[in-house]
Amino acid sequence: MRPPRLIVHLADPGATPRWSAASANAPDLWMAITRRQVELVDDLDAIDVIGGLGSTRCRSWADPAVAGPGPIVLSTPAHRWLAIDHLVEIVDRLLRHHPDLPLLVLADPGEDEWLVRHDLAHLGAEAKARVAVITREDRPPERPRMIVRTGYVASDPDLVAEAARAGIPTVGFELGDLPESNPKPVPPFEVELLVDQVTSPLDPGPVAAVGSAEAGGLHRIVSGHDPLTRLLALL
């Protein structure tokens, strides 16, 4: 039997609704963590909730004032090989602009990691020396200078939330689960614009300014209880 009230939380940034308004099991309320998910259920009541922030921990990146020369961490969504192709194109362009820029790629263990290493190898020995690859089961060994989402759906939401709390900015194609104070997302496939967005604030001052704005926006979401207030009003 259908429960008296059915609420579905799309906790995964890549999740999409599986019911239509005509379905007998259509939820009474959708809870989403990206604005794109809200748009997908616009025929039903939906509340835009930034999820998963209460449980995140930021052990080693606690000081927002620190903006050192750490690596640029690139994250691409899992099991999307076209996105890996674009990741490699972004790496290639970044190295042309800044050959000494330290880059760190996050990949899912298994086929994704193999494909990332395989495609990066085609960029040559210099890229192999400049670009490190780790799996998502690990965390960057040092404080990143910036997180770059190279895919078209939100990736590494826990890592991004940790970074935001520590004042580390995130840029990329998909930023819908981040505070409005975050830099605007780049339209998908526009690799040149994304590279420009990465390389323009490389100096410590601009990086710290963007990171502080992101941390402030995240603090307002977590401490203001706005999503909870809206949810209770709907209920």
Side-chain angles (χ1 to χ4, degrees):
M1 294 180 61
R2 189 183 189 279
R5 184 175 298 275
L6 181 62
I7 300 175
V8 174
H9 182 206
L10 296 169
D12 179 356
T16 55
R18 292 185 290 121
W19 295 279
S20 66
S23 170
N25 289 320
D28 300 289
L29 180 71
W30 294 96
M31 295 178 61
I33 61 173
T34 72
R35 282 175 284 280
R36 174 60 178 157
Q37 290 175 341
V38 175
E39 294 168 2
L40 292 173
V41 293
D42 59 3
D43 57 338
L44 299 169
D45 286 330
I47 179 170
D48 186 5
V49 175
I50 305 297
L53 300 180
S55 62
T56 58
R57 298 181 304 277
C58 185
R59 294 179 296 272
S60 58
W61 308 335
D63 185 2
V66 177
I72 304 294
V73 174
L74 300 110
S75 171
T76 193
H79 315 311
R80 296 173 185 260
W81 287 13
L82 179 61
I84 293 177
D85 288 343
H86 279 261
L87 163 73
V88 175
E89 183 180 354
I90 291 165
V91 169
D92 184 40
R93 290 179 179 273
L94 282 172
L95 291 177
R96 289 187 208 171
H97 283 75
H98 295 273
D100 296 329
L101 191 64
L103 301 178
L104 179 65
V105 175
L106 293 180
D108 265 38
E111 290 183 348
D112 282 15
E113 181 185 5
W114 179 88
L115 188 62
V116 167
R117 293 183 184 277
H118 173 273
D119 287 6
L120 287 174
H122 285 275
L123 296 181
E126 181 179 352
K128 186 176 181 180
R130 296 291 180 190
V131 183
V133 180
I134 63 174
T135 70
R136 285 194 172 86
E137 296 174 353
D138 304 312
R139 277 290 180 261
E142 56 183 308
R143 179 187 172 97
R145 192 182 320 186
M146 183 186 302
I147 310 292
V148 182
R149 279 178 168 166
T150 65
Y152 325 120
V153 298
S155 56
D156 290 304
D158 289 340
L159 175 66
V160 168
E162 288 181 18
R165 290 170 63 150
I168 301 169
T170 297
V171 301
F173 295 132
E174 172 55 65
L175 303 173
D177 58 336
L178 291 174
E180 294 288 351
S181 54
N182 202 72
K184 292 183 179 180
V186 172
F189 306 107
E190 296 194 21
V191 172
E192 295 85 354
L193 287 179
L194 180 57
V195 171
D196 289 342
Q197 195 178 52
V198 172
T199 56
S200 58
L202 283 179
D203 292 333
V207 169
V210 174
S212 296
E214 187 171 300
L218 186 68
H219 176 74
R220 285 191 294 274
I221 289 174
V222 174
S223 63
H225 304 295
D226 178 61
L228 180 60
T229 301
R230 293 165 58 197
L231 175 59
L232 290 175
L234 283 171
L235 293 178

